[in-house]
Amino acid sequence: MRNLDPLKKRYQDIPIPAELDDVVNQALKASKRKDVRTMKSVKWAVGTAAAAAVIFVGSVNASPAVVNALSDVPVLSSIVKVVTFRDFKVDEGNYNADLKVPAIKDMDNQLLEEQLNSKYVQENKELYQAFMKEMEQQQKAGGGHLGVNSGYEVKTDNDSILSIERYVNKTMGSTEEILQFDTIDKKNEVLLTLPSLFKDDSYISLISSNIKEQMEAQMKKDENKTYWIGENAVDGDAFTSIKADQNFYINNEGKLVISFNKYEVAPGSMGSVEFVIPTDAIANALVSHAYVK
């Protein structure tokens, strides 16, 4: 049985509403037992002009609906898998939130597992806090509309790689989408970073040049596609280079995929965009072909 006390302490050190803190503490206690517990739904009244319903949903065998939902959760291997840790919901008229917290399970590298899971919980705690604060301010000011939705998608599932995309969609006037990725070497149980794949920082210019070529080719082929390069650059928003730690993942074909958030390199109508980088374009800069084929 794993000792989750250090992880629990890290959770508790983050200032959050007492209601949500109670939920996390209950979840941590439950996660220390291997027997399946019955799902519990709990509602708390929160200190706003109109109380919000915060629903705590456990990922357990409580009903056929829950079982069917869990059947769609991707099982990555007999060693490492990802599940929905908890689902926090707020439904109060024009104010809606649905925050799904992923969790990595069954890694031998318990420190990495706990660090990742701690990060996922903290991200959603902060989203919850920000949502509740903004909802209260809007209600005091006479009302408005506010929505936030977070979740995850397994991008890669094979013997070597686990890549998880975490997304946040916010609606307040306009819609904002934020993506983050974690790519794990499942055999060695280490977290991969973009710089770690390459010998030096030459990868930045190599990848950037290839992406610009792809952007030009896409715009030439499809007049409905627009990227902020060349004459399409607006107000200094021209794409010149990826960041050293640009969002990325490795797909099931072993190809490096670079991802950009909405508005980062293109108009909002394009949404979030990604580019598969041909391995030939970066082959000489790679440390090895262990991950990128």
Side-chain angles (χ1 to χ4, degrees), residues 65-242:
V66 173
V67 174
N68 289 335
L70 286 175
S71 67
D72 294 329
V73 174
V75 177
L76 303 173
S77 74
S78 59
I79 300 174
V80 181
K81 56 189 173 184
V82 60
V83 298
T84 299
F85 178 57
R86 287 295 181 263
D87 187 359
F88 302 110
K89 294 185 179 181
V90 177
D91 185 2
E92 179 61 27
N94 292 331
Y95 305 96
N96 298 277
D98 187 355
L99 311 179
K100 292 181 174 63
V101 185
I104 307 296
K105 292 187 64 178
D106 299 334
M107 291 184 70
D108 290 330
N109 186 343
Q110 295 183 25
L111 178 59
L112 176 58
E113 178 180 304
E114 291 176 358
Q115 287 175 335
L116 290 170
N117 291 340
S118 178
K119 177 176 67 173
Y120 301 153
V121 172
Q122 179 174 342
E123 288 172 349
N124 283 277
K125 285 180 179 181
E126 292 174 352
L127 280 173
Y128 175 86
Q129 279 186 305
F131 176 86
M132 297 302 289
K133 181 178 180 180
E134 180 63 30
M135 181 177 73
E136 184 174 4
Q137 291 175 345
Q138 286 195 16
Q139 288 177 329
K140 287 181 178 178
H145 293 80
L146 184 64
V148 62
N149 177 48
S150 74
Y152 66 96
E153 177 183 349
V154 175
K155 303 294 287 188
T156 303
D157 172 6
N158 58 40
D159 292 338
S160 302
I161 294 292
L162 161 60
S163 289
I164 306 172
E165 173 193 282
R166 306 185 316 286
Y167 61 82
V168 177
N169 293 303
K170 298 179 181 179
T171 303
M172 188 174 67
S174 61
T175 302
E176 178 184 9
E177 182 177 53
I178 301 171
L179 303 180
Q180 297 183 79
F181 297 83
D182 283 321
T183 295
I184 299 169
D185 173 343
K186 291 168 64 176
K187 292 181 178 178
N188 297 298
E189 297 195 342
V190 295
L191 183 66
L192 303 179
T193 66
L194 191 57
S196 72
L197 300 175
F198 297 94
K199 300 173 184 176
D200 52 42
D201 62 5
S202 62
Y203 73 91
I204 296 176
S205 59
L206 292 173
I207 293 174
S208 299
S209 295
N210 183 265
I211 287 175
K212 290 176 187 176
E213 292 175 4
Q214 292 193 49
M215 288 177 171
E216 293 283 5
Q218 288 182 28
M219 289 190 295
K220 186 176 181 179
K221 184 177 181 181
D222 186 350
E223 62 181 12
N224 294 316
K225 289 190 174 183
T226 301
Y227 293 102
W228 287 329
I229 56 174
E231 62 183 17
N232 292 321
V234 180
D235 299 330
D237 284 327
F239 169 68
T240 58
S241 175
I242 65 167

Side-chain angles (χ1 to χ4, degrees), residues 18-28 44 54 56 86 88:
E19 298 86 356
L20 189 52
D21 197 31
D22 289 342
V23 172
V24 174
N25 288 334
Q26 290 175 23
L28 285 165
W44 294 270
V54 181
F56 167 73
R86 287 295 181 263
F88 302 110

